[in-house]
Short mmCIF file of all heavy atoms in Angstrom, two decimals:
data_model
loop_
_atom_site.label_atom_id
_atom_site.label_comp_id
_atom_site.label_asym_id
_atom_site.label_seq_id
_atom_site.Cartn_x
_atom_site.Cartn_y
_atom_site.Cartn_z
N ASP A 1 92.08 134.63 104.98
CA ASP A 1 91.87 134.35 106.42
C ASP A 1 90.79 133.59 106.73
O ASP A 1 90.61 132.74 107.59
CB ASP A 1 91.95 135.68 107.20
CG ASP A 1 93.23 136.40 107.05
OD1 ASP A 1 93.29 137.31 106.12
OD2 ASP A 1 94.17 136.32 107.91
N SER A 2 89.64 133.69 105.89
CA SER A 2 88.39 132.98 106.12
C SER A 2 88.35 131.61 105.55
O SER A 2 87.32 130.83 105.81
CB SER A 2 87.16 133.89 105.50
OG SER A 2 87.11 135.13 106.19
N LEU A 3 89.29 131.17 104.84
CA LEU A 3 89.34 129.88 104.22
C LEU A 3 89.85 128.90 105.33
O LEU A 3 90.73 129.17 106.08
CB LEU A 3 90.36 129.86 103.11
CG LEU A 3 90.03 130.72 101.80
CD1 LEU A 3 91.07 130.52 100.84
CD2 LEU A 3 88.64 130.34 101.30
N ALA A 4 89.28 127.67 105.30
CA ALA A 4 89.67 126.56 106.25
C ALA A 4 91.14 126.28 105.80
O ALA A 4 91.38 126.03 104.58
CB ALA A 4 88.80 125.40 106.09
N HIS A 5 92.10 126.13 106.71
CA HIS A 5 93.45 125.87 106.38
C HIS A 5 93.70 124.32 106.33
O HIS A 5 92.79 123.58 106.86
CB HIS A 5 94.33 126.48 107.36
CG HIS A 5 94.24 125.87 108.86
ND1 HIS A 5 93.35 126.32 109.86
CD2 HIS A 5 94.78 124.80 109.34
CE1 HIS A 5 93.49 125.67 110.88
NE2 HIS A 5 94.35 124.75 110.62
N GLU A 6 94.70 123.95 105.67
CA GLU A 6 95.02 122.58 105.50
C GLU A 6 95.49 122.12 106.74
O GLU A 6 96.20 122.76 107.60
CB GLU A 6 96.09 122.47 104.43
CG GLU A 6 96.61 121.08 104.07
CD GLU A 6 95.41 120.20 103.71
OE1 GLU A 6 95.13 120.21 102.44
OE2 GLU A 6 94.85 119.58 104.58
N THR A 7 95.24 120.74 107.08
CA THR A 7 95.47 120.13 108.28
C THR A 7 96.32 118.95 108.01
O THR A 7 96.71 118.23 108.99
CB THR A 7 94.35 119.73 109.13
OG1 THR A 7 93.40 118.89 108.29
CG2 THR A 7 93.64 121.05 109.42
N ALA A 8 96.64 118.39 106.88
CA ALA A 8 97.35 117.20 106.63
C ALA A 8 98.81 117.51 107.12
O ALA A 8 99.25 118.60 107.18
CB ALA A 8 97.37 117.06 105.09
N ASP A 9 99.34 116.30 107.31
CA ASP A 9 100.82 116.38 107.96
C ASP A 9 101.87 116.62 106.86
O ASP A 9 103.07 116.59 107.32
CB ASP A 9 101.11 115.33 108.88
CG ASP A 9 101.05 113.88 108.10
OD1 ASP A 9 100.75 113.90 106.99
OD2 ASP A 9 101.23 112.88 108.78
N ARG A 10 101.51 116.70 105.70
CA ARG A 10 102.35 117.01 104.59
C ARG A 10 101.74 118.17 103.72
O ARG A 10 100.55 118.39 103.80
CB ARG A 10 102.56 115.88 103.69
CG ARG A 10 103.23 114.63 104.42
CD ARG A 10 104.82 115.07 104.74
NE ARG A 10 105.54 115.33 103.49
CZ ARG A 10 106.69 115.82 103.52
NH1 ARG A 10 107.37 116.10 104.71
NH2 ARG A 10 107.32 116.13 102.44
N PRO A 11 102.64 119.03 103.00
CA PRO A 11 101.99 119.91 102.11
C PRO A 11 101.12 119.29 101.08
O PRO A 11 101.35 118.13 100.58
CB PRO A 11 103.43 120.50 101.42
CG PRO A 11 104.49 120.15 102.25
CD PRO A 11 104.09 118.82 102.90
N THR A 12 100.13 120.10 100.60
CA THR A 12 99.22 119.66 99.67
C THR A 12 98.88 120.80 98.73
O THR A 12 99.29 121.79 98.90
CB THR A 12 97.85 119.12 100.22
OG1 THR A 12 97.23 120.52 100.71
CG2 THR A 12 97.96 118.34 101.53
N ASP A 13 98.15 120.37 97.51
CA ASP A 13 97.94 121.39 96.59
C ASP A 13 96.95 122.53 97.23
O ASP A 13 97.06 123.60 96.82
CB ASP A 13 97.08 120.80 95.44
CG ASP A 13 97.93 119.84 94.58
OD1 ASP A 13 99.14 119.77 94.96
OD2 ASP A 13 97.25 119.12 93.78
N ARG A 14 96.17 122.19 98.24
CA ARG A 14 95.35 123.23 98.84
C ARG A 14 96.11 124.27 99.50
O ARG A 14 95.78 125.53 99.50
CB ARG A 14 94.31 122.49 99.88
CG ARG A 14 93.53 123.56 100.49
CD ARG A 14 92.43 122.99 101.48
NE ARG A 14 91.75 124.02 102.19
CZ ARG A 14 90.79 124.83 101.54
NH1 ARG A 14 90.42 124.70 100.28
NH2 ARG A 14 90.23 125.78 102.33
N ASP A 15 97.33 123.98 100.08
CA ASP A 15 98.25 124.98 100.60
C ASP A 15 98.57 126.02 99.57
O ASP A 15 98.46 127.30 99.88
CB ASP A 15 99.59 124.42 101.10
CG ASP A 15 99.40 123.62 102.31
OD1 ASP A 15 98.84 124.20 103.37
OD2 ASP A 15 99.77 122.24 102.24
N VAL A 16 98.73 125.64 98.38
CA VAL A 16 98.97 126.64 97.30
C VAL A 16 97.78 127.55 97.02
O VAL A 16 97.88 128.75 96.73
CB VAL A 16 99.56 126.04 95.98
CG1 VAL A 16 100.02 127.10 95.06
CG2 VAL A 16 100.81 125.09 96.41
N LEU A 17 96.65 126.82 96.88
CA LEU A 17 95.45 127.54 96.51
C LEU A 17 95.01 128.59 97.63
O LEU A 17 94.55 129.70 97.35
CB LEU A 17 94.26 126.55 96.50
CG LEU A 17 94.41 125.47 95.24
CD1 LEU A 17 93.30 124.45 95.44
CD2 LEU A 17 94.29 126.30 93.99
N VAL A 18 95.29 128.30 98.95
CA VAL A 18 95.08 129.22 100.03
C VAL A 18 95.95 130.39 99.87
O VAL A 18 95.52 131.47 100.00
CB VAL A 18 95.18 128.49 101.41
CG1 VAL A 18 95.20 129.52 102.51
CG2 VAL A 18 94.09 127.45 101.54
N ALA A 19 97.23 130.15 99.51
CA ALA A 19 98.22 131.30 99.43
C ALA A 19 97.79 132.10 98.15
O ALA A 19 97.93 133.37 98.33
CB ALA A 19 99.60 130.70 99.17
N GLU A 20 97.30 131.56 97.16
CA GLU A 20 96.80 132.32 96.10
C GLU A 20 95.81 133.38 96.44
O GLU A 20 95.55 134.40 95.87
CB GLU A 20 96.40 131.42 94.97
CG GLU A 20 97.50 130.80 94.09
CD GLU A 20 96.99 129.85 92.90
OE1 GLU A 20 96.08 129.12 93.27
OE2 GLU A 20 97.68 129.94 92.03
N GLY A 21 94.91 132.97 97.47
CA GLY A 21 93.87 133.82 97.91
C GLY A 21 94.29 135.21 98.41
O GLY A 21 93.75 136.21 98.28
N LEU A 22 95.61 135.25 98.93
CA LEU A 22 96.27 136.47 99.39
C LEU A 22 97.09 137.09 98.33
O LEU A 22 96.94 138.35 98.16
CB LEU A 22 97.14 136.06 100.64
CG LEU A 22 97.80 137.31 101.15
CD1 LEU A 22 96.90 138.15 101.81
CD2 LEU A 22 98.91 136.85 102.27
N HIS A 23 97.92 136.34 97.58
CA HIS A 23 98.93 137.02 96.71
C HIS A 23 98.58 136.88 95.18
O HIS A 23 99.20 137.40 94.37
CB HIS A 23 100.24 136.41 96.98
CG HIS A 23 100.85 136.76 98.28
ND1 HIS A 23 100.89 138.11 98.75
CD2 HIS A 23 101.36 136.02 99.32
CE1 HIS A 23 101.45 138.08 99.94
NE2 HIS A 23 101.72 136.87 100.23
N GLY A 24 97.40 136.23 94.90
CA GLY A 24 97.07 136.13 93.59
C GLY A 24 97.38 134.89 92.77
O GLY A 24 98.27 134.15 93.33
N ARG A 25 96.78 134.72 91.67
CA ARG A 25 97.03 133.24 91.04
C ARG A 25 98.38 133.32 90.45
O ARG A 25 98.96 134.29 90.10
CB ARG A 25 95.96 133.28 89.78
CG ARG A 25 94.56 133.16 90.25
CD ARG A 25 94.24 131.76 90.86
NE ARG A 25 94.47 130.74 89.87
CZ ARG A 25 93.49 130.40 89.04
NH1 ARG A 25 92.38 130.99 88.96
NH2 ARG A 25 93.83 129.31 88.23
N LEU A 26 98.87 131.97 90.35
CA LEU A 26 100.21 131.70 89.90
C LEU A 26 100.05 131.16 88.45
O LEU A 26 99.07 130.41 88.19
CB LEU A 26 100.98 130.76 90.79
CG LEU A 26 101.39 131.28 92.26
CD1 LEU A 26 101.52 130.05 93.10
CD2 LEU A 26 102.53 132.16 92.13
N ASP A 27 101.05 131.43 87.58
CA ASP A 27 101.01 130.61 86.33
C ASP A 27 101.48 129.22 86.64
O ASP A 27 101.95 128.93 87.70
CB ASP A 27 101.84 131.40 85.30
CG ASP A 27 103.29 131.48 85.80
OD1 ASP A 27 103.85 130.67 86.51
OD2 ASP A 27 104.05 132.35 85.17
N PRO A 28 101.33 128.25 85.65
CA PRO A 28 101.65 126.85 85.96
C PRO A 28 103.01 126.69 86.42
O PRO A 28 103.35 125.91 87.39
CB PRO A 28 101.36 126.24 84.58
CG PRO A 28 100.38 127.04 83.86
CD PRO A 28 100.72 128.52 84.37
N ALA A 29 103.95 127.46 85.85
CA ALA A 29 105.43 127.20 86.38
C ALA A 29 105.66 127.75 87.75
O ALA A 29 106.25 127.07 88.66
CB ALA A 29 106.34 128.02 85.49
N GLY A 30 104.98 128.86 88.14
CA GLY A 30 105.05 129.47 89.40
C GLY A 30 104.29 128.45 90.50
O GLY A 30 104.85 128.31 91.60
N TRP A 31 103.14 127.83 90.03
CA TRP A 31 102.55 127.04 90.89
C TRP A 31 103.42 125.88 91.34
O TRP A 31 103.45 125.43 92.43
CB TRP A 31 101.27 126.59 90.21
CG TRP A 31 100.11 126.08 91.15
CD1 TRP A 31 99.02 126.62 91.62
CD2 TRP A 31 100.06 124.76 91.49
NE1 TRP A 31 98.35 125.85 92.37
CE2 TRP A 31 98.99 124.58 92.38
CE3 TRP A 31 100.83 123.58 91.53
CZ2 TRP A 31 98.57 123.40 93.06
CZ3 TRP A 31 100.48 122.47 92.16
CH2 TRP A 31 99.31 122.32 92.99
#
């Protein structure tokens, strides 16, 4: 919740990084 969220008008890699902050790291295939 404390991370700055992504504002681009398309999905970016940062979207995945933010989600990992809640649910944990993904392996390369999961990412």
